[in-house]
Amino acid sequence: MKVTVILFVAIGLCSLSTSVPIVGRGFNATIGMGDEYIPLAYKTAWYETQLDHFNFEVNESFKVRYLYNEDYFQNTPEKPGPIFVYAGNEGPIQDLWSGSGFWTNVMTQKHGALLMFLEHRYFGESLPFGKNSTQPQNIQYLTIEQAMADYGVFLGKFKKEKNLENSPVIIFGGSYGGMLAAWMRMKYPQVIDGALASSAPLLMFQNITSPYSVYEVVSKDFTDAGCGGLFAEGFRELKSLSNRTEYYDVLTKELNLCAPITNSDGILGVYQYVKYAMESMAQYDYPYPTTFNGPEPGSPVTVACERAIQAVG
């Protein structure tokens, strides 16, 4: 049964990736990484920020974490060095650092930049109310505007205190972080000189962009890798088996499921699980191993396609 083989390959990628270390092959040497990717070392620092930037009756403040590396920073009065800033998004900042090899290991060194990764309020260790930060009464200060104000105010003060007022600031980010980067350039042009918004769904709002557009991107990713048709065929066959009870035990065994399929809802569960696996691999299709979405090998879509093609002969 072809569907069992194809979908087992997709699900089995998780077990494949668990043994892949963060140091590994995969980043193409043509962009300067060589065969081995070892994340650039960083130092940790903190800055004080207002709990509420827009209500002067709220005087509380808290500390926000950021990571930095200045080993390659080349700054002179004649040629001020650039400051590269990652607009932290929803996650611990050290995980985002380890998944951004193009900036940490290529761009920073190539351009002699000071590199900074700013953690987003309410994530990682930047918790305004400690372990109670996500309690309903405390969540009101978790907004895009407050996070952008954290970054804008801090960067302005940082440049002045470090006598780097002539150093251009280039902010970057991916997904929600990419949206923040673009909006920072719009909202704080006096601080931000340029922005790179990677995979940023800036127009992903109701009545502007189709909610199914993400699936078009995922499908294209697997099609470009050479196995989109196989997975499409697998999904069609799986759907056709939803009411074929004689295949439930076969699928349970072949897919090594934790619980047996006993009805059509079980088939739907497998369908959704594989769909999510494909979405995740396409979203985190980095050319080097990463761990911030669970351990994944470099170019996971390509790895999945190679195994799927091999499995069906």
Side-chain angles (χ1 to χ4, degrees), residues 121-138:
R121 59 167 55 200
Y122 284 81
F123 290 95
E125 297 180 15
S126 301
L127 306 175
F129 299 97
K131 65 180 181 180
N132 296 318
S133 293
T134 56
Q135 293 298 311
Q137 67 273 18
N138 296 330

Side-chain angles (χ1 to χ4, degrees), residues 93-151:
I93 198 63
Q94 73 274 9
D95 293 344
L96 300 169
W97 178 288
S98 68
S100 303
F102 180 64
W103 285 94
T104 61
N105 289 43
V106 179
M107 296 297 286
T108 295
Q109 300 176 31
K110 180 178 180 180
H111 295 283
L114 167 61
L115 181 64
M116 306 174 71
F117 273 53
L118 311 183
E119 191 161 65
H120 196 295
R121 59 167 55 200
Y122 284 81
F123 290 95
E125 297 180 15
S126 301
L127 306 175
F129 299 97
K131 65 180 181 180
N132 296 318
S133 293
T134 56
Q135 293 298 311
Q137 67 273 18
N138 296 330
I139 205 73
Q140 61 181 304
Y141 303 107
L142 175 56
T143 69
I144 293 172
E145 292 80 5
Q146 296 284 5
M148 291 172 60
D150 289 340
Y151 301 160

Side-chain angles (χ1 to χ4, degrees), residues 169-187:
V169 175
I170 307 300
I171 195 166
F172 62 98
S175 190
Y176 167 50
M179 300 169 79
L180 287 174
W183 291 331
M184 284 293 297
R185 171 59 181 156
M186 300 175 192
K187 186 70 174 180

Side-chain angles (χ1 to χ4, degrees), residues 53 58 121 124 163-164 182 213 222 227 270 293 298-300:
H53 292 275
V58 178
R121 59 167 55 200
N163 196 26
L164 297 174
S213 60
F222 279 85
C227 67
V270 173
N293 191 50
S299 303

